[in-house]
Amino acid sequence: MKTKATLLVRAFLLWAAGITLCAAQGNSIDNFQVSQEAGRIVVRITTKQPLKSVPPNFSVATPPRIAFDFANTVNALGRASEDIAQGELRSMNIVQGADRTRLVLNLRRPVAHQTAVDGNTLVITLAEPAVAQTAPGGAGAQFAEGRQDVKHAVRDVDFRRGRAGEGRVVVDLADTTTGIDIRLQGQNIIVDFLKTSLPENLRRRLDVVDFGTPVSTVSTFQQGENVRMVIEPRGQWEHNAYQSDTQFVLEVKPLVADPARAGAQKGRYTGERLSLNFQNVEVRAVLNVIADFTDLNIITSDTVSGNITLRLKDVPWDQALEIILQTRGLDSRRSGNVIWIAPRDELATREKLALEAANQITDLEQTRTESFQMNYQKAADVQKLLSDPTQRILSKRGSAVVDARTNTLFVQDTPSRLEDVRRLIAKIDIALRQVMIEARIVEANDAFSKNLGARLGYHDTGGGSRTNSNNPRFTVGGSLVDTGFHTGQTPTSTFIPDSLNVNLPAAGLNAFNAGQFSFILFNSSATRFLNLELTALEADGKGKIIASPRVLTADQVEAVIEQGTEIPYQQATSSGATSVSFRKANLALKVKPQITPEGNVIMTLDVNKDQPGATTPAGVAINTKHVKTEVLVENGGTVVIGGIYEQNDRTDVTKIPLLGDIPIVGWLFKNTTTTSAKTELLVFITPRVVNERLTIR
């Protein structure tokens, strides 16, 4: 425990540094007391005015801390930090911002805490130490560590708008021990609920643009054993998170543009804000002030010297530290909560010597051999990956051999490289998820045809007529064969088609003859005939062809399924002879799926529907329908990837000139054919991610 004189020196340095942290004048923190009651640490914080409720608070696992945010409150204690060293409570820090004051309890280990309000006193009780779990890479913040053998659950996800325009993401948890990890990824906020399940109805993407907050979308989905929430803000913003009982709240507040904060880069500097005002002060003293403010261990090299004049207002402490280092040509290296500061050249020289020593140790280090049994990967493929000369993972003395019979990989290398190989194999030797892709190819036909025609003729069997004895005879009939028979020019007997003047009957449809209606008018001696025949035919056809190929394949593995016929044709060879070759007319589906982290499926599709067509002198033609595209579809959803609609309307009129244009009577001298055909082709694709247990069964 530090002495009282040490605390006074630290307070004097803070005052000399000119740290000024302003807040809206409202309430104030007047007293801070720590005591032990029944084996537990009890912290009492007394404010000037009564508290309406427990201030927002949150816990951090690495380093272990508990933070409370007092809105519209200033620090009236006269100190910004205090060493306590009682039980699990190590120290206390108070940081005052523009609109709130944050009180941070620095712990030795993560512990649970209980809060209660008694008038103008906030009572914080620290429970027994909880099991600690370090966050990956030491980044982000974890609220509760949770038990490893317990499966937690998310019961509800809601979004609300606050009075100040902030967006509030409210998550209702099944219990208070759920582990929560928060970090920034680019411009997004990532929240992971560790070892937590998510109901199917909550796996969704909320579009909250209409709320008028910095948050545009909130996506929640299952990722392995965890539940991941991706919050996409826009514009300038800052976030704050806290948990009360089983309710976890993350607030995203809009930032008002402030020229004094223009230098602060969002996402790069995340430290608490402070103000510094120095006039020709030693650099070591400034670094000591930052160390007291952040409660970090700063080691300064003996070569660091000189004075600095600096004035910074309301900037993050990590940005202030970087400005100081850049001004004096210094650099820093951080390991946990220890920061080592020295000139750049000195750090570079030390790191170079350390790397050279490490390389020498690696060259002299004894190698070991370890076997890796491949479960899902092929050992030969992993060997190629490890021994790739462009990005070699093994050391110069390392080697890898394969036993193809047992699919085992034997690696010989130094222990450190073997550890890297072990981590690499653990990431790539995993079972691939599988996707069932079902395609429906629907082809619909609607055709209508109508033919109308007539046959009309005059037949005279009386041998002609005479106006007087000296005039020549004449005969009226259809073709010359008919009239020549009656005049005796040809002995060939006639038949009805030869006597027709108009021979335009309706053609048959679908291998059926046209309907006929005939009428014959003749004289009493049956020597003159007027023949009339009307023919008409109408056809209406509708058809639908459905093909449904389906195929099961692994993630990012191309699959092909096809069915059809092979059509032979003759092909000339280089010697001049002919040979028989075959060309496929198939129904084929070629697909390569990719499962996204959200559970959707990206598919590269190639669909063919070929059929034998008309027979030509060169061979049989093939009618081809082909679709090739790449689409993104949700799991179990259906998308139409292509459609071809074709409509053909045609009317043909064949008639006798002039006579066919006569109204009404003209129908006896012409043939009319009307055709209307509609064809539509649609391709539906439905991907389904197959459950791993169902696949094994």
Side-chain angles (χ1 to χ4, degrees):
M1 181 181 298
K2 295 184 178 180
T3 63
K4 184 175 181 181
T6 303
L7 296 177
L8 292 175
V9 170
R10 178 179 296 177
F12 174 77
L13 288 174
L14 292 175
W15 174 81
I19 296 179
T20 57
L21 302 169
C22 58
Q25 295 297 329
N27 206 351
S28 63
I29 299 177
D30 296 339
N31 193 12
F32 177 87
Q33 295 180 351
V34 180
S35 62
Q36 287 188 350
E37 299 178 5
R40 296 185 177 183
I41 302 299
V42 179
V43 179
R44 289 181 171 85
I45 303 171
T46 304
T47 58
K48 182 178 180 180
Q49 300 176 5
L51 298 174
K52 298 180 180 180
S53 61
V54 177
N57 60 90
F58 62 91
S59 302
V60 178
T62 306
R65 292 177 178 175
I66 302 175
F68 292 83
D69 288 338
F70 295 84
N72 298 326
T73 303
V74 298
N75 179 17
L77 295 177
R79 62 187 184 274
S81 64
E82 181 177 344
D83 291 337
I84 300 173
Q86 293 189 20
E88 301 301 330
L89 183 57
R90 186 164 53 89
S91 61
M92 175 272 294
N93 293 96
I94 295 181
V95 180
Q96 185 172 306
D99 57 351
R100 69 179 186 272
T101 295
R102 172 169 293 182
L103 185 143
V104 181
L105 302 179
N106 301 308
L107 309 175
R108 302 183 188 276
R109 291 182 294 177
V111 298
H113 67 281
Q114 298 178 352
T115 56
V117 175
D118 184 10
N120 61 342
T121 302
L122 174 65
V123 182
I124 307 170
T125 304
L126 303 182
E128 295 297 328
V131 179
Q133 176 182 353
T134 303
Q142 295 186 355
F143 278 68
E145 292 304 311
R147 292 175 53 189
Q148 300 297 320
D149 56 344
V150 177
K151 188 68 175 179
H152 312 283
V154 175
R155 294 188 297 189
D156 192 18
V157 177
D158 194 11
F159 184 84
R160 303 170 187 172
R161 173 186 167 88
R163 295 182 178 179
E166 70 271 19
R168 294 181 180 177
V169 181
V170 182
V171 181
D172 189 10
L173 303 173
D175 55 84
T176 59
T177 62
T178 304
I180 306 175
D181 180 74
I182 306 174
R183 66 183 186 275
L184 294 177
Q185 189 176 76
Q187 293 296 324
N188 300 335
I189 304 174
I190 306 297
V191 183
D192 286 337
F193 299 89
L194 308 180
K195 291 187 177 298
T196 305
S197 61
L198 183 67
E200 193 68 29
N201 62 321
L202 297 180
R203 302 180 183 182
R204 59 192 178 183
R205 184 173 185 265
L206 301 178
D207 188 348
V208 294
V209 176
D210 296 336
F211 283 81
T213 68
V215 181
S216 58
T217 60
V218 179
S219 302
T220 310
F221 52 90
Q222 189 80 37
Q223 188 175 48
E225 294 182 349
N226 304 334
V227 174
R228 172 162 292 185
M229 176 180 292
V230 180
I231 302 172
E232 299 181 11
R234 56 183 180 178
Q236 298 294 325
W237 50 270
E238 64 178 1
H239 72 283
N240 181 29
Y242 58 90
Q243 181 175 346
S244 176
D245 197 17
T246 59
Q247 188 179 74
F248 169 76
V249 180
L250 190 144
E251 294 183 349
V252 181
K253 301 180 180 180
L255 285 179
V256 180
D258 188 353
R261 303 184 181 183
Q265 302 181 20
K266 181 63 181 177
R268 182 179 177 185
Y269 304 109
T270 59
E272 297 292 340
R273 297 181 179 274
L274 55 82
S275 297
L276 301 176
N277 187 0
F278 297 103
Q279 296 292 333
N280 198 20
V281 180
E282 291 186 0
V283 176
R284 289 176 173 273
V286 179
L287 297 177
N288 192 23
V289 170
I290 295 179
D292 292 334
F293 181 81
T294 60
D295 202 18
L296 293 174
N297 300 316
I298 296 182
I299 301 176
T300 306
S301 174
D302 295 338
T303 56
V304 176
S305 61
N307 296 345
I308 187 173
T309 299
L310 186 67
R311 178 181 176 85
L312 299 175
K313 182 179 180 181
D314 199 14
V315 298
W317 70 263
D318 47 355
Q319 184 184 10
L321 178 61
E322 182 176 338
I323 293 174
I324 296 171
L325 298 181
Q326 291 178 355
T327 303
R328 302 302 304 175
L330 305 175
D331 206 347
S332 64
R333 298 293 183 269
R334 181 167 181 172
S335 177
N337 64 340
V338 178
I339 299 178
W340 181 30
I341 297 177
R344 292 192 184 96
D345 297 340
E346 181 179 341
L347 287 178
T349 302
R350 289 177 179 267
E351 291 176 349
K352 182 179 179 180
L353 295 175
L355 290 175
E356 292 177 352
N359 292 333
Q360 293 176 1
I361 293 175
T362 302
D363 295 338
L364 300 176
E365 190 176 5
Q366 186 177 3
T367 61
R368 293 192 297 109
T369 302
E370 188 171 344
S371 63
F372 299 92
Q373 176 67 50
M374 297 293 106
N375 298 320
Y376 303 100
Q377 288 277 3
K378 292 183 179 180
D381 295 339
V382 180
Q383 180 195 25
K384 293 179 181 179
L385 177 62
L386 297 178
S387 305
D388 188 356
T390 59
Q391 47 181 8
R392 188 177 178 88
I393 298 176
L394 301 178
S395 64
K396 297 179 180 179
R397 297 187 296 154
S399 62
V401 294
V402 173
D403 181 13
R405 185 178 63 87
T406 60
N407 197 32
T408 304
L409 179 68
F410 297 91
V411 181
Q412 183 181 20
D413 211 330
T414 59
S416 59
R417 291 300 180 95
L418 288 177
E419 182 64 27
D420 295 339
V421 172
R422 189 180 299 108
R423 287 195 296 265
L424 174 64
I425 293 178
K427 288 184 177 295
I428 65 176
D429 190 25
I430 58 176
L432 294 178
R433 303 174 69 183
Q434 301 192 81
V435 185
M436 172 68 75
I437 296 99
E438 180 180 357
R440 287 186 177 269
I441 305 173
V442 181
E443 184 176 1
N445 298 320
D446 187 358
F448 175 79
S449 300
K450 180 175 68 175
N451 293 344
L452 179 62
R455 297 202 297 176
L456 176 64
Y458 175 76
H459 188 197
D460 185 1
T461 61
S465 62
R466 179 193 303 271
T467 57
N468 54 57
S469 58
N470 295 326
N471 292 335
R473 299 167 59 91
F474 66 91
T475 300
V476 179
S479 65
L480 289 176
V481 176
D482 178 49
T483 55
F485 171 75
H486 293 300
T487 58
Q489 299 179 64
T490 175
T492 304
S493 60
T494 65
F495 54 96
I496 291 180
D498 292 332
S499 64
L500 297 178
N501 300 96
V502 179
N503 190 5
L504 297 173
L509 295 174
N510 298 332
F512 291 95
N513 295 327
Q516 300 174 350
F517 174 77
S518 62
F519 176 76
I520 300 177
L521 181 64
F522 54 92
N523 59 358
S524 58
S525 60
T527 57
R528 294 183 177 88
F529 298 87
L530 180 62
N531 300 323
L532 175 63
E533 179 185 81
L534 298 178
T535 56
L537 187 63
E538 182 178 308
D540 189 1
K542 296 182 179 180
K544 181 171 65 174
I545 301 174
I546 299 178
S548 182
R550 62 183 66 183
V551 63
L552 178 67
T553 183
D555 184 20
Q556 300 189 34
V557 177
E558 185 177 76
V560 178
I561 184 172
E562 61 181 7
Q563 177 190 9
T565 59
E566 291 191 357
I567 301 174
Y569 65 95
Q570 290 186 349
Q571 185 179 16
T573 62
S574 59
S575 62
T578 59
S579 63
V580 178
S581 300
F582 293 87
R583 183 182 177 187
K584 293 182 179 180
N586 292 340
L587 169 64
L589 171 63
K590 182 186 295 184
V591 60
K592 184 176 181 180
Q594 177 185 349
I595 304 175
T596 64
E598 295 84 3
N600 300 329
V601 181
I602 300 175
M603 294 179 293
T604 302
L605 293 162
D606 194 347
V607 183
N608 277 309
K609 188 178 185 300
D610 300 339
Q611 289 180 337
T615 302
T616 65
V620 180
I622 297 178
N623 298 330
T624 300
K625 298 179 178 66
H626 184 203
V627 177
K628 185 176 182 180
T629 183
E630 182 174 334
V631 293
L632 172 64
V633 190
E634 63 179 0
N635 181 23
T638 301
V639 63
V640 181
I641 65 170
I644 300 175
Y645 179 79
E646 183 178 359
Q647 181 174 352
N648 185 11
D649 295 327
R650 183 181 180 85
T651 301
D652 296 327
V653 178
T654 304
K655 60 184 178 181
I656 304 297
L658 298 179
L659 298 179
D661 297 330
I662 301 176
I664 302 177
V665 181
W667 288 99
L668 303 178
F669 300 96
K670 62 183 177 181
N671 176 284
T672 303
T673 302
T674 302
T675 304
S676 178
K678 299 177 183 179
T679 303
E680 186 172 9
L681 174 68
L682 297 175
V683 181
F684 301 87
I685 298 293
T686 303
R688 292 183 176 88
V689 179
V690 180
N691 187 286
E692 296 180 0
R693 296 181 179 178
L694 296 179
T695 305
I696 296 175
R697 291 179 183 177

